[in-house]
Amino acid sequence: DLSGSIPTPDVKLNLGGEFIKESTATTFLRQRGYGWLLELEEDDLEDNKPLLEELDIDLKDIYYKIRCVLMPMPSLGFNRQVVRDNPDFWGPLAVVLFFSMISLYGQFKVVSWIITIWIFGSLTIFLLARVLGGEVAYGQVLGVIGYSLLPLIVIAPVLLVVGSFEVVSTLIKLFGVFWAAYSAASLLVGEEFKTKKPLLIYPIFLLYIYFLSLYTGV
């Protein structure tokens, strides 16, 4: 007669270079095909992304585009075409919301109207540009028009100071509108328009006049 016993196998796990002996319960489950109960899922790397990366918000990119809009002179060396060629949504939205907050001296009911004008005004410029033969996408127009509101935000505190001087106030308003319109038009009006440039520059200029009127309450 043969008799004897089979010793429990000495099973070890390799975790991070260290061998850890399995317990009897763990070995029992593995021998009966229930080892999958002990498996741990690896952390999904996408779930650990920072919030800004998850929302596709690049603060450095937004800051660079703001500088491109506020300083539209080519001699300054900025690659201004990045505002048009690499459009984003959150930067222009932040600019439009900030402009809405300071418009009409804190009357928050104007916020939704300014956002509406931004969306449909950009749509009008986009359709006109396409009719004139321009190769531009709606997202690009939306981003350029939104970012180019920055000059109107810059002149807003100045208007509060010189508001009692009508001549100076009017000149500053004209300067702000020309600044914003030039910044937007220089990005949207390409060489493909040739002699048709005024047909697109004019509605852009009128759009920023209307934005300024929403701020001043005209």
Side-chain angles (χ1 to χ4, degrees), residues 142-210:
L142 197 68
V144 170
I145 296 297
Y147 272 117
S148 297
L149 274 174
L150 285 167
L152 300 185
I153 295 176
V154 171
I155 69 170
V158 182
L159 291 177
L160 293 177
V161 176
V162 300
S164 57
F165 304 97
E166 294 185 4
V167 177
V168 178
S169 178
T170 302
L171 291 176
I172 292 176
K173 291 176 184 178
L174 290 175
F175 172 73
V177 171
F178 274 109
W179 185 4
Y182 173 78
S183 184
S186 61
L187 291 168
L188 293 177
V189 181
E191 292 299 327
E192 63 269 20
F193 293 102
K194 296 181 180 179
T195 59
K196 300 178 182 179
K197 289 183 179 181
L199 296 178
L200 190 62
I201 295 175
Y202 182 65
I204 292 175
F205 181 74
L206 292 180
L207 180 61
Y208 285 108
I209 288 180
Y210 187 69

Side-chain angles (χ1 to χ4, degrees), residues 34-199:
Y34 296 102
W36 56 270
L37 293 174
L38 306 174
E39 295 179 357
L40 299 176
E41 295 183 359
E42 296 183 0
D43 293 336
D44 191 350
L45 297 179
E46 295 183 356
D47 294 339
N48 297 327
K49 288 184 177 179
L51 179 60
L52 293 180
E53 185 178 348
E54 189 72 24
L55 296 176
D56 196 21
I57 300 176
D58 190 344
L59 295 180
K60 292 183 178 179
D61 182 60
I62 293 175
Y63 174 66
Y64 185 81
K65 291 177 180 177
I66 289 175
R67 294 171 65 189
C68 290
V69 171
L70 291 178
M71 294 175 282
M73 288 72 70
S75 58
L76 295 177
F78 290 108
N79 181 20
R80 301 189 64 248
Q81 288 301 317
V82 72
V83 182
R84 169 178 169 171
D85 297 338
N86 186 26
D88 66 288
F89 176 74
W90 297 108
L93 178 62
V95 174
V96 173
L97 287 177
F98 187 68
F99 178 76
S100 302
M101 292 298 179
I102 66 173
S103 295
L104 295 182
Y105 307 102
Q107 297 183 22
F108 294 107
K109 61 184 180 181
V110 79
V111 173
S112 59
W113 180 243
I114 290 180
I115 294 177
T116 302
I117 295 300
W118 169 48
I119 293 174
F120 286 97
S122 299
L123 179 61
T124 302
I125 300 299
F126 163 71
L127 294 176
L128 184 57
R130 298 294 291 186
V131 169
L132 294 175
E135 297 295 332
V136 64
Y138 176 62
Q140 294 175 326
V141 178
L142 197 68
V144 170
I145 296 297
Y147 272 117
S148 297
L149 274 174
L150 285 167
L152 300 185
I153 295 176
V154 171
I155 69 170
V158 182
L159 291 177
L160 293 177
V161 176
V162 300
S164 57
F165 304 97
E166 294 185 4
V167 177
V168 178
S169 178
T170 302
L171 291 176
I172 292 176
K173 291 176 184 178
L174 290 175
F175 172 73
V177 171
F178 274 109
W179 185 4
Y182 173 78
S183 184
S186 61
L187 291 168
L188 293 177
V189 181
E191 292 299 327
E192 63 269 20
F193 293 102
K194 296 181 180 179
T195 59
K196 300 178 182 179
K197 289 183 179 181
L199 296 178

